[in-house]
Amino acid sequence: MLENTGQGAVLTESNRACEACALKDLRLPRPLSPRELEVLEQRAKSSAVLDEGATLFSQGDSVNAVYIVRGGAVKTFVTDRNGKEDIIGFFFTGDFIALESLACDLYPMSCAALTKTYICKISRADMQALTRELPSLEEYLFLSVSEELLGSHQLSQILRQLSADERLSSFLLFLSHTNERHKLSGTDLALPMSRREIAGYLGLAVETVSRAFSRLQEKQLIAVNDRNVTLLDIEGLRAQSHCCQSYRDGTFSSEKPVI
Amino acid sequence: MLENTGQGAVLTESNRACEACALKDLRLPRPLSPRELEVLEQRAKSSAVLDEGATLFSQGDSVNAVYIVRGGAVKTFVTDRNGKEDIIGFFFTGDFIALESLACDLYPMSCAALTKTYICKISRADMQALTRELPSLEEYLFLSVSEELLGSHQLSQILRQLSADERLSSFLLFLSHTNERHKLSGTDLALPMSRREIAGYLGLAVETVSRAFSRLQEKQLIAVNDRNVTLLDIEGLRAQSHCCQSYRDGTFSSEKPVI
DNA sequence: CGTGGATTTGAACGGCATCAAACTAAGTGG
DNA sequence: CCACTTAGTTTGATGCCGTTCAAATCCACG
């Protein structure tokens, strides 16, 4: 089922762990109904463990499954001609990984684990069967991808308009928000990704990211200790970021203005 | 039905024009089946004409319909604190406009016509009824938004990595491809958008866009005459762009590598 | 013919990339 | 336990590209 994709990846089949997983913390455009959850669980029989750095799929692989992060974190990326990784997105517990790839025959990107990561797999065939017996799931998928697209627009805005410090501020606020979604501290962050990966995501050089960390620390906005970052002044960071703090949480409507 | 949104917009109800429209040139993740087309046409009773510059909807308006471009071109955008427009996307004949907004209660962006534009409107309620009686349409919507998201990833890549000249080259190749989709010349482009709007899309200053035009012309890659641009050396432009020429045509699979 | 917006061109400044090197931390093997 | 290696991170110096400010030109339109 799950292929070993090299790079020291050890993918183990573990249905038992999967049965224990209620898929309850799927990131939600809306909550899944009990019926949806039941059907989804029934299909999500296959699970895997990815060691840090292990590849889940590579650009050019055929898309014959959908993956969900059950625990840990992954990145999706493409590698440019200089060998530099262009990071497309980070995915955390409860996220569908690159759901939009279902529109392709072959993956237009690669995916690798940032830390030890637990993955849930649903085959493409199962997914099709699922949506047939449970039409509302298709709507769920539409909403999921729509929210990803809205988040991508915000990222584009960040890439177009913001300075290095502002980009990093936005990114830290995004991670803070993600942490809170997972019932973790919104101020004490343990970054699962390297400076290089942050740079690849924010469109900056590694050195610039490092300097931005230093400047935010000088300004007393954060305290940096390797990959452990404490947000000391969230409002200050927000002022820095010049942008909605959460550009991927689907709350673009009503309460919070995008700008 | 269609509200007059000011800015000299003249929105006229014109069911006759709508009946004549077969919706056949909807941009397609896959072709619509005759059945789908029939049902869709039945609902798309309402049409409108937007003068150049007219607003279709504004950020904060409630999302109670979906719009399709029947002829012409529109932009979606947000306005930043300096009053500068950040262009999110351009939409042409056959495109759903900002379909992902259906995931919101209120529009997170505005939409305005670049030229005189003909619009087809389907109310949110009709859309829901449609997907109930035609489940495959929901899949169509999912695929549409997925392709938009894949395109948005490519745009992010452009914003992260490419120089001004490279960005403009990519943009011109994108327009060329769009033109070809509409059975127009792939080399003689009549840009519907201003330099300022191109700048807002590519994350550059107007002056930089203008200079990029000049440089590409000096290099004999294009011939510029106001908003009429002739692509003289497509391969040269492609080499310049360092990127897949078509970042929004859904051909990320099989044949064409993304990089 | 005059006005205002769009576009182009010029000049100077500044932020980020690049190159280079020091420093840290973790892992390896002697 | 320590020398050694390696990758990640930080800091410094320099140069370039794009922004900003300024002004000229062009064009549509009243």
Side-chain angles (χ1 to χ4, degrees), chain B residues 31-48:
Chain B
L32 285 171
S33 68
R35 167 97 180 100
E36 287 173 321
L37 247 151
E38 181 192 343
V39 176
L40 203 58
E41 280 180 4
Q42 202 173 3
R43 296 280 181 170
K45 298 196 193 87
S46 175
S47 79

Side-chain angles (χ1 to χ4, degrees), chain A residues 27 30 56 67 89 101 106 108 114 162 192 223 227:
Chain A
R27 196 160 58 79
R30 60 173 172 74
L56 182 59
Y67 301 97
S101 301
L106 307 178
L114 297 173
L162 300 193
R227 290 195 187 182

Side-chain angles (χ1 to χ4, degrees), chain A residues 85-100:
Chain A
E85 279 183 5
D86 202 87
I87 307 288
I88 296 172
F90 297 110
F91 297 88
F92 305 96
T93 303
D95 291 340
F96 274 104
I97 301 173
L99 193 56
E100 70 277 14

